[in-house]
Amino acid sequence: MTESVSNLRERYPVFHVLNPTWELGETALKITCHYQTGEHSFDHTLEFHDIPYDRVAELPQSAQVYLSRQIALVEVFNYWKLTCSPEIHAAWHMTTEEQGWWHNLLEHGMGEYFYQNNIAFSKPDFIKFTSEDGTAPEETQLFVDREQPSYLIPVGGGKDSSVTLELLGKYARQEGYRSATIMVNPSKAAKTTAETSPVETHLTITRTLDPLLLKLNGEGFLNGHVPFSAMLAMLGFTAAVLHDYNSIPISNERSSNEGNVSFQNRTINHQYSKTYAFETSFRDFGAMAFSQSPDYFSYLRPLYELQIAQLFATMPHYHQLFLSCNRNQKQNTWCGTCPKCLFTYSALLPHLGEPKTTEIFGTAVLENESLFPLALELVGQEACKPFECVGTQEESIVALYLCQEWFEQRSLPLPKLLKEISVHVLRSEPGLFERSQALLDSWNNRHHIPVDLESILRDALSHIPQPQLTQTAEPIQNQDQ
């Protein structure tokens, strides 16, 4: 049985982030984060493999210390969530600006955790970051090569990072620029998509949680979602410094900006650390302590998930390799019943066709009538959008409309689930033709993409085939109705 939040906060008033350790070996750098609260201590390790020893050994001591401390702070959420302690205390000096930055990440990045545990986190001084007295260190010069572009591309094994890999990998190879992938505890899908891409260098990080974390979860301590993409951002930033890459093009899309539910007068967003707001904030983070740091930007920020699916459909060499399902990641298969599977299947079917899409997923997802309640959550007819990395509610409506169009234009009966959606959702949605066209033709100008790379993305979009839609005065009816 989970303990009450108030009891845990009273028992564990301060969560301590101790000074991390930096151990440089011949082929790997090991950073160990140390945490302590009450009677519990935790050791969390990160190993950066295949590092260039001479370069890393020559990094200024101030850079080593600062980077390892920021990793310790971004990883603390995994352990702090056990107790929801009122104070997080760092064993070094933090400026007011730094404390504010981390507090903002906690408040927004832990929103789902607060919601699912019904924690009134919006109260004044509910949580505060504190640190030791002292003075701020001087700004550190990072020796990142700026003579020509170099790209360190994070890869998770899904369709989004595959698109970035393909477009930027080809560009870097053509121009003779350095490029590499970076993967944290890589899954089979991540490894195979990376190895299939035009990028030839593949870097990895091994991340190991303290086993006490899971033990305490089983004993009734709190649990919940943490801002995982913020952790990936910090590890990618550190890897870029270690390996001398000056750009970190991530693959977060426009869709992530939409939240899931309102709670405590705040918008709770499962994907907060994938948003444009976090991306911009993290770019500011790099400028806090470093006069020169890697350029962090999302290459897919102008696009919705449905537009990325269009691009991905033109890259058949990844179709049997990628995986977005979190439930069956270890088995490297699609479960076919989660929000991610339903949304991704619906997004790809209009471009790949039903036979090919079903072959990829191993099941005809739109035949599963039991997923109808999940479909209602995706399209916004329930109070909360699924806590998964899925498209916007409008995208889900458009995706299902495009699926309906695909079957109708071939005079094929609608799959059972899609038939239910057609009758109970799409029939009452006005202007689906115009809404689909507007979404597929859109471009978001709020991004941080360098001009030369933006033109590559625009050119790729201009060459993809658009789905053929039938403009009708009324929403399309199922022929069986």
Side-chain angles (χ1 to χ4, degrees):
M1 181 177 177
T2 302
E3 285 200 52
S4 72
V5 175
S6 57
N7 285 345
L8 287 168
R9 284 169 62 82
E10 184 176 346
R11 285 174 56 196
Y12 302 97
V14 183
F15 206 100
H16 294 275
V17 185
L18 308 178
N19 271 299
T21 53
W22 175 290
E23 302 172 74
L24 178 59
E26 291 185 4
T27 60
L29 167 67
K30 182 179 180 180
I31 295 175
T32 305
C33 308
H34 308 286
Y35 309 109
Q36 187 271 328
T37 186
E39 69 275 23
H40 301 300
S41 298
F42 309 90
D43 292 326
H44 178 98
T45 62
L46 293 307
E47 289 186 83
F48 295 78
H49 302 286
D50 300 319
I51 51 95
Y53 180 88
D54 291 342
R55 170 179 168 77
V56 176
E58 291 174 0
L59 279 177
Q61 180 71 15
S62 57
Q64 297 178 21
V65 170
Y66 191 81
L67 288 170
S68 59
R69 286 174 172 175
Q70 304 319 300
I71 288 175
L73 285 170
V74 82
E75 293 281 16
V76 71
F77 300 123
N78 299 287
Y79 302 91
W80 170 84
K81 69 181 181 181
L82 290 165
T83 60
C84 197
S85 301
E87 179 181 346
I88 297 177
H89 182 80
W92 57 86
H93 178 71
M94 295 172 67
T95 65
T96 301
E97 183 183 20
E98 288 173 326
Q99 291 180 24
W101 191 92
W102 285 104
H103 186 274
N104 182 70
L105 175 58
L106 182 145
E107 188 173 75
H108 292 89
M110 297 296 293
E112 181 179 342
Y113 161 84
F114 295 134
Y115 172 78
Q116 294 185 327
N117 288 287
N118 195 29
I119 297 173
F121 73 103
S122 61
K123 295 178 180 178
D125 299 323
F126 175 78
I127 175 69
K128 61 181 179 179
F129 278 84
T130 61
S131 67
E132 295 294 304
D133 293 333
T135 57
E138 294 183 3
E139 188 178 70
T140 299
Q141 175 73 35
L142 289 181
F143 302 102
V144 179
D145 181 11
R146 294 284 183 178
E147 290 188 8
Q148 65 177 18
S150 55
Y151 306 106
L152 184 62
I153 306 172
V155 176
K159 68 182 187 311
D160 299 351
S161 57
S162 297
V163 169
T164 299
L165 273 176
E166 186 69 10
L167 297 180
L168 292 191
K170 282 184 177 178
Y171 172 71
R173 178 179 287 184
Q174 290 168 0
E175 299 297 323
Y177 298 152
R178 294 171 59 232
S179 67
T181 65
I182 182 70
M183 296 172 280
V184 179
N185 292 353
S187 63
K188 181 179 179 180
K191 291 178 182 177
T192 53
T193 54
E195 291 165 357
T196 301
S197 77
V199 180
E200 296 180 353
T201 301
H202 308 296
L203 306 173
T204 60
I205 301 170
T206 299
R207 177 174 177 265
T208 306
L209 294 165
D210 192 309
L212 179 58
L213 174 65
L214 295 179
K215 181 176 183 293
L216 293 180
N217 284 151
E219 294 177 2
F221 284 72
L222 299 175
N223 201 356
H225 177 75
V226 298
F228 190 74
S229 293
M231 178 275 297
L232 295 178
M234 198 68 72
L235 297 188
F237 185 94
T238 302
V241 172
L242 299 178
H243 294 273
D244 195 20
Y245 287 92
N246 57 41
S247 295
I248 311 167
I250 58 174
S251 304
N252 297 335
E253 71 294 330
R254 179 180 185 176
S255 312
S256 63
N257 295 328
E258 181 181 82
N260 298 77
V261 68
S262 179
F263 176 66
Q264 295 280 310
N265 296 316
R266 309 287 178 88
T267 297
I268 305 301
N269 189 347
H270 170 81
Q271 302 187 78
Y272 169 72
S273 54
K274 287 188 172 184
T275 64
Y276 177 76
F278 174 77
E279 179 184 338
T280 302
S281 174
F282 191 74
R283 290 168 62 86
D284 294 338
F285 157 82
M288 281 187 195
F290 303 121
S291 57
Q292 179 179 300
S293 61
D295 186 20
Y296 177 87
F297 62 91
S298 177
Y299 189 53
L300 303 181
R301 183 66 66 196
L303 308 181
Y304 285 111
E305 283 276 19
L306 293 193
Q307 295 170 294
I308 298 169
Q310 285 183 291
L311 279 170
F312 183 74
T314 67
M315 303 172 182
H317 40 297
Y318 297 108
H319 291 173
Q320 296 294 338
L321 307 177
F322 88 110
L323 182 71
S324 300
C325 176
N326 293 319
R327 291 185 184 176
N328 279 13
Q329 191 176 87
K330 290 183 178 180
Q331 294 84 2
N332 199 49
T333 59
W334 299 85
C335 76
T337 58
C338 72
K340 203 77 174 285
C341 284
L342 177 55
F343 177 80
T344 308
Y345 184 97
S346 303
L348 288 174
L349 187 147
H351 311 293
L352 296 179
E354 191 275 338
K356 177 65 174 177
T357 309
T358 297
E359 179 188 350
I360 291 170
F361 283 74
T363 183
V365 178
L366 291 178
E367 287 284 3
N368 189 346
E369 292 178 279
S370 69
L371 300 183
F372 183 66
L374 187 57
L376 292 182
E377 294 178 9
L378 286 171
V379 302
Q381 292 197 10
E382 297 293 344
C384 183
K385 191 173 81 170
F387 285 116
E388 276 278 13
C389 295
V390 294
T392 63
Q393 294 169 345
E394 175 72 356
E395 280 182 272
S396 291
I397 294 170
V398 168
L400 292 165
Y401 164 67
L402 295 177
C403 289
Q404 180 180 254
E405 279 278 88
W406 188 90
F407 286 96
E408 291 284 352
Q409 289 176 5
R410 289 158 181 79
S411 299
L412 296 172
L414 298 183
K416 294 175 184 177
L417 173 61
L418 187 56
K419 181 178 177 180
E420 289 294 304
I421 294 168
S422 175
V423 172
H424 298 288
V425 178
L426 300 180
R427 177 178 290 178
S428 60
E429 291 288 341
L432 287 173
F433 174 85
E434 292 79 10
R435 289 159 64 180
S436 300
Q437 293 285 65
L439 193 151
L440 295 176
D441 292 339
S442 64
W443 179 271
N444 179 20
N445 286 313
R446 298 184 70 206
H447 61 77
H448 299 291
I449 307 173
V451 175
D452 57 334
L453 301 187
E454 180 182 350
S455 64
I456 297 171
L457 185 59
R458 284 185 180 274
D459 182 66
L461 281 173
S462 69
H463 288 91
I464 58 177
Q466 296 293 324
Q468 297 300 310
L469 303 179
T470 304
Q471 187 168 13
T472 59
E474 298 293 332
I476 296 173
Q477 303 292 314
N478 186 336
Q479 66 267 29
D480 292 337
Q481 298 300 309

